[in-house]
Amino acid sequence: MAERRNDGQSTGPTARRIVLGSQLRKLREKAEVSRADAGYVIRGSESKISRMELGRVGFKERDVEDLLTMYGVTDPTEREQFLALVKQSNEPGWWHRYSDLMPNWFTDYVGLEESASRIQTCELQFVPGLLQTEEYTRVLASHGRPERASDETERRVTLRMSRQKVLHRTDAPKLWAVIDESVLHRPIGGQRVLRDQIDHLLEVTRLPNITLQVVPYALSGYAAETSFTVLRFTEPELPDLVYVEHLGGAVYLDRRDEIELYSRVVDRLAVDAETPSRSRQILMKRRAEI
């Protein structure tokens, strides 16, 4: 069985579900058991086994115990490792209390973001969520009317601020963010909010795990036509994922050709954008202009 991380510190429940599902799929294939036969054993269907192996549903200990028996896993220590992972994968993440605010597609993203070892994001309109100030977030969450912010809006702000804690953990992921130069001229919330936001960017980019690059106007729009995020993980069972959000939802891309396409875009952005040090100079210049 492949080595698994069970420390629970940086591998959130969403990622643990995917790891567990991947391990079960490998055991099933090794035992030469069909999904239909496996589904019958746990009083389910072939599609249920498929969803379990993709980490898209929760796990019941009884189901996993029955599958391990069917797959010939009899070693008590190995079985206990699997059952411990089942318990961990069913533990609600800190974001669970905000589930009423988040659609399922975004709940999955927050869980994966929490588990990523590297986050690469490109934003064309706004400062990336992980780097926003509270006021900047409030303006966006209230659709430009922060003075009318409801309790729900305030909870959305709190959710985004809570997500940012991932960047300050002892095992924090590396964040590489690219923004279009226009972001620094879009007066979200007015001049003061924008000025404070730029101050915040200057502060957080001093952290060793955060890199920010600015794509100048002259090269704007050539490498990327839309905002996106690439999540990378240390667990071998977790593939790189590209997350692209749109008005009605989001898509997750994980096919090899899709990952290669976005990897080329990331490489192009790294070249087109100003260097991190030059980008800081742009921030300071823009800060002085406001």
Side-chain angles (χ1 to χ4, degrees):
M1 185 172 66
E3 182 180 355
R4 299 194 307 273
R5 293 171 52 182
N6 290 324
D7 56 20
Q9 181 177 13
S10 62
T11 308
T14 306
R16 286 196 288 263
R17 258 198 341 258
I18 297 175
V19 170
L20 177 57
S22 175
Q23 294 288 350
L24 289 174
R25 176 183 56 79
K26 291 176 182 177
L27 288 175
R28 178 182 60 76
E29 292 175 345
K30 183 178 179 181
E32 298 183 346
V33 174
S34 69
R35 287 194 180 94
D37 289 342
Y40 181 80
V41 164
I42 63 170
R43 300 152 296 279
S45 62
E46 181 177 352
S47 62
K48 179 178 179 179
I49 293 295
S50 178
R51 292 194 300 273
M52 289 173 65
E53 291 181 350
L54 291 171
R56 293 177 179 170
V57 294
F59 294 86
K60 295 180 180 178
E61 287 190 47
R62 184 182 68 177
D63 288 346
V64 173
E65 285 185 305
D66 290 345
L67 290 174
L68 292 176
T69 299
M70 186 182 196
Y71 300 158
V73 179
T74 58
D75 179 77
T77 300
E78 190 172 357
R79 290 176 69 94
E80 185 55 37
Q81 287 180 336
F82 271 103
L83 295 179
L85 195 54
V86 170
K87 293 177 182 178
Q88 293 169 1
S89 70
N90 288 329
E91 293 173 356
W94 62 261
W95 56 92
H96 178 71
R97 60 184 180 274
Y98 298 102
S99 59
D100 59 313
L101 298 178
M102 298 187 291
N104 290 335
W105 48 265
F106 191 66
T107 301
D108 288 341
Y109 175 79
V110 174
L112 291 168
E113 179 183 72
E114 187 82 3
S115 306
S117 60
R118 186 174 180 85
I119 302 170
Q120 298 172 307
T121 186
C122 168
E123 281 287 350
L124 305 181
Q125 281 192 292
F126 309 114
V127 170
L130 290 177
L131 299 178
Q132 291 176 7
T133 64
E134 185 173 325
E135 285 189 284
Y136 190 98
T137 297
R138 184 172 290 107
V139 173
L140 293 177
S142 63
H143 305 290
R145 297 290 184 88
E147 70 281 358
R148 299 183 182 179
S150 63
D151 290 342
E152 179 178 308
T153 298
E154 290 301 324
R155 290 182 65 214
R156 292 183 184 279
V157 174
T158 301
L159 168 61
R160 183 159 298 179
M161 295 301 103
S162 297
R163 282 174 52 206
Q164 295 180 4
K165 293 178 182 178
V166 70
L167 298 176
H168 302 280
R169 293 187 325 216
T170 54
D171 60 340
K174 299 286 187 182
L175 172 65
W176 178 78
V178 173
I179 61 173
D180 191 86
E181 187 176 1
S182 63
V183 171
L184 303 178
H185 293 264
R186 191 167 289 112
I188 301 297
Q191 299 286 65
R192 182 185 60 80
V193 173
L194 179 59
R195 182 179 63 245
D196 291 346
Q197 176 63 72
I198 293 176
D199 284 340
H200 181 65
L201 291 177
L202 287 167
E203 179 181 351
V204 296
T205 51
R206 294 183 184 277
L207 296 174
N209 60 311
I210 298 178
T211 299
L212 176 69
Q213 291 183 251
V214 177
V215 177
Y217 279 125
L219 297 175
S220 177
Y222 291 144
E225 298 178 355
T226 186
S227 301
F228 66 90
T229 298
V230 180
L231 300 177
R232 302 184 186 277
F233 308 88
T234 56
E235 290 82 357
E237 295 90 349
L238 289 170
D240 292 347
L241 290 174
V242 176
Y243 173 81
V244 184
E245 194 171 310
H246 54 82
L247 285 177
V251 293
Y252 292 86
L253 310 174
D254 61 1
R255 294 205 319 263
R256 180 173 297 179
D257 60 325
E258 295 169 332
I259 298 299
E260 289 179 352
L261 171 63
Y262 278 87
S263 294
R264 289 195 296 271
V265 172
V266 167
D267 291 341
R268 172 72 185 272
L269 284 169
V271 173
D272 286 355
E274 299 288 359
T275 64
S277 60
R278 173 59 183 156
S279 293
R280 282 184 60 83
Q281 293 175 12
I282 292 174
L283 290 173
M284 289 186 285
K285 179 182 177 183
R286 179 63 185 136
R287 170 66 173 79
E289 292 172 350
I290 299 176

